[in-house]
Amino acid sequence: SVKCVLNIKDNDLPFMGVILAAPSSNKTLILELFRKHFQTYYSDHFTPPALLGNNTSMTEAQLQKKDMIPKMKDNLVITPELAPIFTANEDDLKAVIGKIIRLLDGKGFTGDTGAHGQRGYTETMFTWIGAAVEIPDLVWRLFGVLGYKIYFLRPKVSTVTVDELADDLIQTDFKEKIDNVEKALFDYLKTFDSAPNCENISITDKKGI
């Protein structure tokens, strides 16, 4: 659903969603399925300067190649583990959350430094999905100041029995199953992204799609 926000006609408001679930609940496994999709920008970890750099030893052209913001544009950004960001020291946390919140306005981000003066990017549409076990109190307090523009989903995770865990350990076809799921997902997205014309389909027919 987060990825398909990019398909909404004339929508220029970015969306960020975070899955909250216990360790070993397949959060990362689910997000990894999208890693090979052409409309994906994947990053396990990034620092505040990675979004918009100001390295004094680099030219503007070199910085633009390094900046994360233009790489995010019109893509699904995937950060499978947000814990390193959410547990950073308070100054770094404020810097990165502040930039993300501003980017979620859809108007891009512009900053000024003594090294390169003013530089940044205008309208930047993207969607972003990540995962974490829990959100620290400090992050919630920052949201109270900066605004609640990140959405959280805590899915209901089925209880697994000891016998089911034992069966999983001895199965040898796990990778094959994941590969099949990935293939089915990409086949679906290929059809969805092609935007087939459904205007002449009746409501009854649409329910059956």
Side-chain angles (χ1 to χ4, degrees):
S1 296
V2 174
K3 183 266 173 204
C4 292
V5 170
L6 293 168
N7 296 78
I8 300 175
K9 184 178 180 180
D10 298 328
N11 177 44
D12 59 1
L13 185 64
F15 183 95
M16 183 174 183
V18 178
I19 300 172
L20 299 178
S24 302
S25 55
N26 292 328
K27 303 185 299 297
T28 301
L29 178 65
I30 293 169
L31 299 186
E32 286 276 358
L33 291 172
F34 290 85
R35 187 167 185 170
K36 297 177 184 177
H37 192 267
F38 76 95
Q39 206 174 5
T40 292
Y41 180 76
Y42 184 100
S43 178
D44 282 307
H45 178 66
F46 62 92
T47 59
L51 291 164
L52 184 68
N54 284 286
N55 191 321
T56 55
S57 66
M58 301 175 70
T59 65
E60 174 64 23
Q62 290 173 325
L63 286 170
Q64 288 181 12
K65 292 180 180 179
K66 294 288 186 180
D67 289 339
M68 187 173 164
I69 294 175
K71 298 173 183 176
M72 295 164 56
K73 185 175 175 63
D74 298 323
N75 283 323
L76 167 66
V77 181
I78 297 179
T79 309
E81 183 52 73
L82 289 168
I85 296 170
F86 287 157
T87 57
N89 67 68
E90 187 169 348
D91 289 339
D92 284 346
L93 183 62
K94 288 179 179 178
V96 71
I97 293 295
K99 287 182 178 179
I100 290 174
I101 294 297
R102 175 56 182 154
L103 284 167
L104 289 172
D105 284 332
K107 304 303 181 183
F109 184 89
T110 300
D112 289 83
T113 67
H116 284 277
Q118 185 177 95
R119 61 184 309 269
Y121 300 90
T122 55
E123 288 80 2
T124 304
M125 177 58 191
F126 63 92
T127 61
W128 196 332
I129 188 165
V133 174
E134 196 50 80
I135 304 299
D137 290 342
L138 176 58
V139 177
W140 289 123
R141 292 200 295 272
L142 284 176
F143 288 156
V145 175
L146 299 173
Y148 291 88
K149 295 181 182 178
I150 301 176
Y151 297 84
F152 298 89
L153 173 67
R154 197 183 299 275
K156 183 178 180 181
V157 180
S158 301
T159 303
V160 182
T161 67
V162 174
D163 289 339
E164 289 173 331
L165 289 173
D167 288 340
D168 286 341
L169 290 174
I170 62 176
Q171 286 182 4
T172 58
D173 60 346
F174 181 77
K175 186 178 185 306
E176 181 181 348
K177 289 181 178 179
I178 294 299
D179 289 343
N180 289 337
V181 171
E182 182 182 74
K183 182 180 183 303
L185 172 66
F186 277 40
D187 286 345
Y188 169 78
L189 290 176
K190 188 182 298 182
T191 301
F192 190 94
D193 291 336
S194 68
N197 186 354
C198 298
E199 292 181 0
N200 297 324
I201 298 177
S202 68
I203 295 176
T204 304
D205 291 334
K206 287 181 180 180
K207 289 181 179 179
I209 293 177

